[in-house]
Amino acid sequence: MKFFIDTANIDEIKKGMEMGLVDGVTTNPSLLAKEKKDPQAVLQEILRTVPGPVSLEVISTASDGMCEEARKLASLGDNAVIKIPMTEEGIKAVRTLTNEGIKTNVTLIFQPIQALIAAKAGATYVSPFIGRLDDISQRGMDIVDDTCRIFFNYGFETEIIVASIRNPVHVLDAALVGADIATIPFNVLKQLMNHPLTDIGLERFLKDWQGIKG
Ligand code: E4P
Protein backbone atom coordinates (compact mmCIF):
# COMPACT_ATOMS: atom_id res chain seq x y z
CA MET A 1 0.00 0.00 0.00
CA LYS A 2 1.32 3.44 -0.91
CA PHE A 3 1.08 6.48 1.35
CA PHE A 4 0.67 9.91 -0.22
CA ILE A 5 0.72 13.07 1.84
CA ASP A 6 -2.29 15.38 1.47
CA THR A 7 -0.76 18.83 1.77
CA ALA A 8 0.80 21.72 -0.16
CA ASN A 9 3.12 22.57 2.73
CA ILE A 10 6.73 21.88 1.76
CA ASP A 11 7.94 21.53 5.38
CA GLU A 12 5.32 18.85 6.08
CA ILE A 13 6.30 17.08 2.85
CA LYS A 14 9.98 17.12 3.81
CA LYS A 15 9.23 15.83 7.33
CA GLY A 16 7.03 13.08 5.88
CA MET A 17 9.83 12.11 3.51
CA GLU A 18 12.28 11.89 6.43
CA MET A 19 9.84 9.43 8.04
CA GLY A 20 9.93 7.44 4.76
CA LEU A 21 6.17 7.76 4.43
CA VAL A 22 5.75 9.83 1.26
CA ASP A 23 5.27 7.84 -1.95
CA GLY A 24 3.49 10.81 -3.53
CA VAL A 25 1.60 14.05 -2.81
CA THR A 26 -1.93 15.30 -3.40
CA THR A 27 -2.79 19.00 -3.43
CA ASN A 28 -6.00 20.87 -4.07
CA PRO A 29 -6.97 24.57 -4.37
CA SER A 30 -7.94 24.79 -0.68
CA LEU A 31 -4.59 23.35 0.47
CA LEU A 32 -2.71 25.76 -1.85
CA ALA A 33 -4.75 28.73 -0.57
CA LYS A 34 -3.65 27.88 3.00
CA GLU A 35 0.01 28.41 2.00
CA LYS A 36 -0.56 32.08 1.06
CA LYS A 37 2.26 31.94 -1.52
CA ASP A 38 2.44 31.94 -5.31
CA PRO A 39 0.74 28.61 -6.14
CA GLN A 40 2.87 27.99 -9.23
CA ALA A 41 6.08 28.38 -7.21
CA VAL A 42 4.74 26.09 -4.46
CA LEU A 43 3.79 23.40 -6.96
CA GLN A 44 7.15 23.60 -8.73
CA GLU A 45 9.01 23.17 -5.44
CA ILE A 46 6.86 20.15 -4.52
CA LEU A 47 7.44 18.57 -7.95
CA ARG A 48 11.21 19.08 -7.57
CA THR A 49 11.30 17.74 -4.01
CA VAL A 50 9.19 14.60 -4.37
CA PRO A 51 10.26 11.79 -6.70
CA GLY A 52 6.76 10.24 -6.75
CA PRO A 53 3.49 11.41 -8.34
CA VAL A 54 2.18 14.86 -7.35
CA SER A 55 -1.48 15.70 -8.02
CA LEU A 56 -2.20 19.26 -9.18
CA GLU A 57 -5.81 20.34 -9.64
CA VAL A 58 -7.36 22.31 -12.49
CA ILE A 59 -9.70 25.23 -11.79
CA SER A 60 -11.56 25.37 -15.11
CA THR A 61 -14.99 23.76 -15.26
CA ALA A 62 -15.27 23.31 -19.05
CA SER A 63 -13.48 20.44 -20.73
CA ASP A 64 -11.40 22.58 -23.13
CA GLY A 65 -10.22 24.84 -20.32
CA MET A 66 -9.37 21.83 -18.14
CA CYS A 67 -7.28 20.30 -20.94
CA GLU A 68 -5.45 23.57 -21.60
CA GLU A 69 -4.66 23.99 -17.89
CA ALA A 70 -3.72 20.31 -17.58
CA ARG A 71 -1.16 20.53 -20.41
CA LYS A 72 0.52 23.51 -18.72
CA LEU A 73 0.54 21.80 -15.31
CA ALA A 74 1.84 18.55 -16.81
CA SER A 75 4.76 20.44 -18.37
CA LEU A 76 5.94 21.45 -14.86
CA GLY A 77 7.35 18.00 -14.17
CA ASP A 78 7.36 14.37 -15.29
CA ASN A 79 5.78 13.41 -11.96
CA ALA A 80 2.78 15.75 -12.38
CA VAL A 81 -0.66 14.11 -12.24
CA ILE A 82 -3.62 16.29 -13.14
CA LYS A 83 -6.58 16.31 -10.79
CA ILE A 84 -9.86 16.63 -12.64
CA PRO A 85 -13.25 16.95 -10.93
CA MET A 86 -15.79 14.17 -11.42
CA THR A 87 -18.19 15.99 -13.74
CA GLU A 88 -19.42 15.35 -17.27
CA GLU A 89 -16.95 17.96 -18.57
CA GLY A 90 -14.24 16.45 -16.38
CA ILE A 91 -14.73 12.98 -17.85
CA LYS A 92 -14.48 14.41 -21.39
CA ALA A 93 -11.19 16.03 -20.38
CA VAL A 94 -9.90 12.77 -18.86
CA ARG A 95 -10.49 10.96 -22.18
CA THR A 96 -8.60 13.63 -24.13
CA LEU A 97 -5.73 13.81 -21.63
CA THR A 98 -5.41 10.02 -21.46
CA ASN A 99 -5.06 9.92 -25.25
CA GLU A 100 -2.30 12.52 -24.95
CA GLY A 101 -0.46 10.42 -22.33
CA ILE A 102 -1.18 12.84 -19.44
CA LYS A 103 -1.87 11.16 -16.10
CA THR A 104 -5.09 12.07 -14.31
CA ASN A 105 -6.58 11.76 -10.83
CA VAL A 106 -10.37 12.07 -10.85
CA THR A 107 -11.33 13.86 -7.66
CA LEU A 108 -14.52 14.48 -5.66
CA ILE A 109 -15.80 10.92 -6.03
CA PHE A 110 -18.67 10.06 -3.69
CA GLN A 111 -20.11 6.90 -5.19
CA PRO A 112 -18.60 3.76 -6.80
CA ILE A 113 -20.35 4.25 -10.13
CA GLN A 114 -18.52 7.60 -10.52
CA ALA A 115 -15.26 5.71 -9.99
CA LEU A 116 -16.27 3.17 -12.66
CA ILE A 117 -16.99 5.97 -15.16
CA ALA A 118 -13.63 7.62 -14.41
CA ALA A 119 -11.81 4.29 -14.88
CA LYS A 120 -13.60 3.69 -18.19
CA ALA A 121 -12.41 7.14 -19.33
CA GLY A 122 -8.82 6.04 -18.62
CA ALA A 123 -8.12 7.81 -15.31
CA THR A 124 -4.78 6.88 -13.75
CA TYR A 125 -6.23 7.37 -10.25
CA VAL A 126 -9.64 7.92 -8.65
CA SER A 127 -10.06 9.71 -5.32
CA PRO A 128 -13.10 8.72 -3.24
CA PHE A 129 -13.58 11.24 -0.40
CA ILE A 130 -14.43 9.19 2.66
CA GLY A 131 -14.21 11.78 5.47
CA ARG A 132 -16.72 14.09 3.81
CA LEU A 133 -19.19 11.18 3.54
CA ASP A 134 -18.63 10.17 7.16
CA ASP A 135 -19.30 13.84 8.06
CA ILE A 136 -22.84 13.48 6.68
CA SER A 137 -23.47 10.10 8.31
CA GLN A 138 -22.74 7.92 5.27
CA ARG A 139 -20.13 5.15 5.51
CA GLY A 140 -17.31 6.55 3.38
CA MET A 141 -15.29 3.35 3.39
CA ASP A 142 -18.18 1.42 1.77
CA ILE A 143 -17.58 3.26 -1.52
CA VAL A 144 -13.90 2.32 -1.42
CA ASP A 145 -14.76 -1.32 -0.76
CA ASP A 146 -17.27 -1.38 -3.66
CA THR A 147 -14.83 0.40 -5.98
CA CYS A 148 -12.09 -2.14 -5.18
CA ARG A 149 -14.50 -4.93 -6.07
CA ILE A 150 -15.61 -3.30 -9.34
CA PHE A 151 -12.02 -2.63 -10.47
CA PHE A 152 -11.03 -6.21 -9.58
CA ASN A 153 -14.06 -7.65 -11.45
CA TYR A 154 -13.07 -5.94 -14.70
CA GLY A 155 -9.30 -5.75 -14.34
CA PHE A 156 -9.07 -1.93 -14.38
CA GLU A 157 -5.55 -0.62 -13.78
CA THR A 158 -6.85 2.67 -12.34
CA GLU A 159 -5.52 3.01 -8.78
CA ILE A 160 -7.73 3.97 -5.85
CA ILE A 161 -6.52 6.86 -3.67
CA VAL A 162 -8.52 6.99 -0.44
CA ALA A 163 -8.90 10.74 0.17
CA SER A 164 -10.41 13.03 2.81
CA ILE A 165 -8.80 10.98 5.55
CA ARG A 166 -9.43 12.29 9.06
CA ASN A 167 -7.86 9.74 11.42
CA PRO A 168 -5.67 6.59 11.68
CA VAL A 169 -8.72 4.27 11.58
CA HIS A 170 -9.46 5.55 8.07
CA VAL A 171 -5.95 4.44 7.04
CA LEU A 172 -6.41 1.05 8.72
CA ASP A 173 -9.75 0.50 6.99
CA ALA A 174 -8.30 1.58 3.63
CA ALA A 175 -5.59 -1.06 4.04
CA LEU A 176 -8.12 -3.72 5.10
CA VAL A 177 -10.30 -3.22 2.02
CA GLY A 178 -7.21 -3.31 -0.22
CA ALA A 179 -7.07 0.28 -1.52
CA ASP A 180 -3.91 1.03 -3.50
CA ILE A 181 -3.13 4.35 -1.82
CA ALA A 182 -4.17 6.47 1.16
CA THR A 183 -3.53 10.19 0.94
CA ILE A 184 -2.96 11.31 4.49
CA PRO A 185 -2.78 14.75 6.15
CA PHE A 186 0.47 15.37 8.06
CA ASN A 187 -1.15 15.29 11.53
CA VAL A 188 -2.65 11.86 10.83
CA LEU A 189 0.65 10.60 9.34
CA LYS A 190 2.32 11.34 12.69
CA GLN A 191 -0.51 9.72 14.67
CA LEU A 192 -0.02 6.46 12.76
CA MET A 193 3.16 5.70 14.66
CA ASN A 194 1.87 6.44 18.16
CA HIS A 195 0.35 4.30 20.87
CA PRO A 196 0.21 5.25 24.58
CA LEU A 197 1.29 1.72 25.59
CA THR A 198 4.43 2.12 23.45
CA ASP A 199 5.30 5.31 25.36
CA ILE A 200 4.51 3.74 28.76
CA GLY A 201 6.48 0.60 27.86
CA LEU A 202 9.52 2.57 26.75
CA GLU A 203 9.43 4.73 29.86
CA ARG A 204 9.36 1.58 32.05
CA PHE A 205 12.23 -0.09 30.17
CA LEU A 206 14.38 3.02 30.54
CA LYS A 207 13.51 3.39 34.24
CA ASP A 208 14.35 -0.29 34.93
CA TRP A 209 17.61 0.10 33.01
CA GLN A 210 18.52 3.09 35.16
CA GLY A 211 17.79 0.83 38.22
CA ILE A 212 20.36 -1.76 37.04
CA LYS A 213 22.96 0.94 36.46
CA GLY A 214 22.20 2.54 39.84
C1 E4P B 1 -7.19 14.81 -1.74
O1 E4P B 1 -7.02 14.45 -2.87
C2 E4P B 1 -8.38 15.60 -1.34
O2 E4P B 1 -8.39 16.83 -2.01
C3 E4P B 1 -8.42 15.79 0.15
O3 E4P B 1 -8.11 14.55 0.76
C4 E4P B 1 -9.73 16.35 0.65
O4 E4P B 1 -9.74 16.30 2.05
P1 E4P B 1 -10.79 17.11 2.93
O5 E4P B 1 -12.13 16.48 2.78
O6 E4P B 1 -10.26 16.98 4.33
O7 E4P B 1 -10.76 18.53 2.44
Side-chain angles (χ1 to χ4, degrees), residues 6 26-28 31 57 83 105 107 127 129 132 163-166 183:
D6 195 26
T26 50
T27 66
N28 63 36
L31 292 171
E57 190 159 340
K83 244 181 168 184
N105 171 2
T107 189
S127 290
F129 276 36
R132 293 191 195 185
S164 188
I165 280 180
R166 307 259 194 264
T183 189

Side-chain angles (χ1 to χ4, degrees), residues 6-204:
D6 195 26
T7 183
N9 183 285
I10 195 71
D11 292 334
E12 290 184 351
I13 292 169
K14 285 181 180 163
K15 283 182 193 153
M17 287 174 78
E18 282 166 18
M19 295 183 218
L21 295 179
V22 175
D23 300 309
V25 176
T26 50
T27 66
N28 63 36
S30 308
L31 292 171
L32 278 164
K34 273 205 321 205
E35 295 308 301
K36 299 191 189 329
K37 292 180 190 164
D38 169 31
Q40 174 102 346
V42 172
L43 293 176
Q44 277 173 322
E45 190 175 4
I46 297 173
L47 286 162
R48 270 198 311 271
T49 308
V50 180
V54 178
S55 288
L56 324 172
E57 190 159 340
V58 297
I59 305 301
S60 309
T61 51
S63 170
D64 287 350
M66 288 181 193
C67 289
E68 206 174 301
E69 249 187 272
R71 290 179 195 115
K72 281 188 197 141
L73 289 170
S75 73
L76 296 178
D78 289 344
N79 50 345
V81 173
I82 312 306
K83 244 181 168 184
I84 305 280
M86 176 61 225
T87 59
E88 202 176 320
E89 288 296 299
I91 291 302
K92 263 168 36 188
V94 169
R95 280 213 184 84
T96 306
L97 295 168
T98 303
N99 289 337
E100 293 177 18
I102 293 176
K103 291 190 174 151
T104 55
N105 171 2
V106 178
T107 189
L108 290 167
I109 287 196
F110 293 97
Q111 56 159 321
I113 210 75
Q114 291 180 313
L116 172 59
I117 286 163
K120 279 170 69 65
T124 320
Y125 302 99
V126 289
S127 290
F129 276 36
I130 58 163
R132 293 191 195 185
L133 282 169
D134 286 357
D135 289 346
I136 58 159
S137 308
Q138 286 186 26
R139 290 180 204 276
M141 201 53 69
D142 285 356
I143 65 161
V144 178
D145 199 7
D146 287 351
T147 303
C148 285
R149 193 157 2 134
I150 292 169
F151 286 8
F152 176 79
N153 286 347
Y154 296 101
F156 283 113
E157 285 178 13
T158 304
E159 291 189 82
I160 302 169
I161 304 179
V162 180
S164 188
I165 280 180
R166 307 259 194 264
N167 55 57
V169 177
H170 279 155
V171 181
L172 172 67
D173 288 341
L176 286 172
V177 300
D180 302 285
I181 302 153
T183 189
I184 309 170
F186 182 66
N187 64 317
V188 178
L189 204 60
K190 283 202 300 183
Q191 286 172 1
L192 294 181
M193 278 176 282
N194 297 337
H195 195 286
L197 288 180
T198 306
D199 298 338
I200 292 166
L202 181 61
E203 199 184 321
R204 191 178 302 159

